[in-house]
Amino acid sequence: METKNALITGITGQDGSYLAELLLEKGYNVYGMVRRSSTDTHERIRHIKNDITLIEGDLLDQLSLLRCLEKSKPHEVYNLASMSFVPTSWQQPLLTGKFTGLGVTQMLEAIRHWGTPTKYYQASSSEMFGQVQEVPQRETTPFYPRSPYAVAKVYGHWITVNYRESYNMFNVSGILFNHESPRRGLEFVTRKISNAVARIKLGKQKFVALGNLDAKRDWGYAKDYVEMMWLMLQQKVPEDFVIATGETHTVKEFVQEAFKCIDIDNWQDYVRQDPRFMRPADVNLLIGDPSKAKLKLGWEPKVKFKELVRIMVEADLEFEKQRQL
């Protein structure tokens, strides 16, 4: 049997690193597209760096994308690269649009002109649902984006569908709801909470400043979700899927569970609400319906909410203890 090649954009991120591990376990030759940087951004993939091949490229440089395809000769392309931090998209809306929206078109064009049949996975986002028009949100729910990031993701989603229908390409979009892990960036609210709780436990920090505590999200474990990405590309017919747990929890609940992990019940004494962390237009409720994924792909999330919080807090306790050494 021929060994498959996979090209992952965004391989140095949370999802990219877990996906690379999964594909290596399945016997793939794994290639990762990385942007040139004067600083080391490979922390999440350092343990597998000798097992993968990194190629310099940029979603905004068409020729570099074609070179990446020529070098990796991929059977599957996973486009996980984007400007992924929602609050920053208000500060850099044009750059967000270029990377997260037009960058998808550039990759699809590169694949189309490369001319070799290649399966393509697009990382869509639950943020596209924004001001939700239906509860829970499923594959047919209308989009109502509430941030420049979400608007760009909607463009990326629909251009993926458009190329699938126009050029008979094997393109799929995974509409991923919030998925977290110890590899989540410290700027994201879940990791901000788990890390702050660890630091408070170790006496390194006195409180954590947060925005909207009442925002509701459908939180899953990133390691579970990358398996779904792979499953979507193993189908005979390309289809889009919602990837979610089907449960919703508030930021406040995440905080409560995190403090429980260090045996603190009076969490209110350690939390400050800060208007700096309020979004200009917030998304108040996201909860996905993963029934199509369960029916057609046999996929269900393994890690539940409380276990996810515990995994993150315990990892950050270890992380912060190591920083003391």
Side-chain angles (χ1 to χ4, degrees), residues 239-300:
E239 291 185 77
D240 304 328
F241 289 85
V242 161
I243 309 178
T245 68
E247 297 180 7
T248 189
H249 299 274
T250 62
V251 174
K252 185 185 295 183
E253 286 178 81
F254 199 104
V255 171
Q256 290 171 326
E257 286 300 325
F259 275 101
K260 280 182 184 177
C261 292
I262 59 168
D263 300 317
I264 290 179
D265 293 324
N266 56 325
W267 61 269
Q268 297 93 334
D269 296 342
Y270 301 91
V271 175
R272 307 281 189 275
Q273 276 198 284
D274 190 325
R276 289 179 303 161
F277 300 117
M278 298 291 189
R279 296 183 183 183
D282 211 345
V283 175
N284 295 317
L285 168 65
L286 289 174
I287 177 170
D289 177 4
S291 57
K292 180 181 175 182
K294 181 178 180 180
L295 177 66
K296 292 199 170 187
L297 303 178
W299 179 87
E300 287 186 271

Side-chain angles (χ1 to χ4, degrees), residues 11-236:
I11 196 170
T12 60
Q14 170 188 255
D15 292 4
S17 63
Y18 281 122
L19 178 61
E21 288 175 349
L22 176 73
L23 295 178
L24 285 172
E25 289 171 8
K26 293 184 179 297
Y28 280 65
N29 295 319
V30 177
Y31 297 81
M33 190 183 86
V34 293
R35 298 176 69 198
R36 188 195 172 281
S37 174
S38 57
T39 57
D40 186 0
T41 59
H42 300 164
E43 180 182 342
R44 296 182 182 94
I45 58 170
R46 190 162 288 124
H47 62 295
I48 56 171
K49 206 169 176 182
N50 292 334
D51 302 316
I52 61 180
T53 303
L54 300 180
I55 308 171
E56 283 192 6
D58 194 309
L59 284 177
L60 301 186
D61 183 346
Q62 191 84 59
L63 285 177
S64 75
L65 295 181
L66 284 166
R67 281 195 294 268
C68 284
L69 292 173
E70 286 292 345
K71 288 180 180 179
S72 60
K73 295 180 171 52
H75 299 84
E76 299 170 3
V77 172
Y78 296 85
N79 185 33
L80 310 185
S82 73
M83 299 283 285
S84 61
F85 189 47
V86 176
T88 301
S89 73
W90 274 286
Q91 307 302 320
Q92 299 177 313
L94 295 179
L95 189 60
T96 298
K98 288 177 181 178
F99 269 109
T100 307
L102 292 177
V104 180
T105 310
Q106 300 233 117
M107 178 57 86
L108 289 168
E109 273 292 282
I111 293 171
R112 187 168 76 89
H113 286 287
W114 184 49
T116 302
T118 306
K119 293 184 175 182
Y120 174 82
Y121 172 86
Q122 169 62 20
S124 289
S125 169
S126 60
E127 288 284 331
M128 300 188 303
F129 294 120
Q131 188 168 312
V132 298
Q133 305 298 294
E134 180 181 32
V135 178
Q137 294 86 58
R138 49 182 63 89
E139 291 81 4
T140 55
T141 302
F143 300 136
Y144 196 136
R146 297 269 284 171
S147 68
Y149 167 80
V151 172
K153 277 292 186 185
V154 170
Y155 176 92
H157 178 88
W158 281 120
I159 200 68
T160 300
V161 173
N162 184 260
Y163 271 60
R164 178 171 72 209
E165 296 177 350
S166 300
Y167 302 114
N168 196 32
M169 296 171 69
F170 195 109
N171 297 341
V172 302
S173 287
I175 306 174
L176 274 68
F177 279 65
N178 295 67
H179 48 292
E180 316 299 322
S181 78
R183 296 182 191 176
R184 187 54 120 170
L186 286 166
E187 70 274 22
F188 289 85
V189 67
T190 50
R191 181 76 196 288
K192 183 179 181 180
I193 293 166
S194 66
N195 184 255
V197 165
R199 290 174 62 81
I200 289 168
K201 172 71 173 178
L202 298 172
K204 292 184 172 186
Q205 190 169 322
K206 292 184 177 179
F207 67 91
V208 57
L210 300 170
N212 181 8
L213 296 179
D214 296 318
K216 295 180 178 179
R217 294 292 184 272
D218 184 327
W219 277 302
Y221 186 30
K223 198 170 182 179
D224 287 345
Y225 283 33
V226 298
E227 180 186 12
M228 189 48 182
M229 299 176 186
W230 175 77
L231 283 171
M232 289 172 65
L233 289 191
Q234 309 316 306
Q235 304 307 296
K236 292 182 179 179

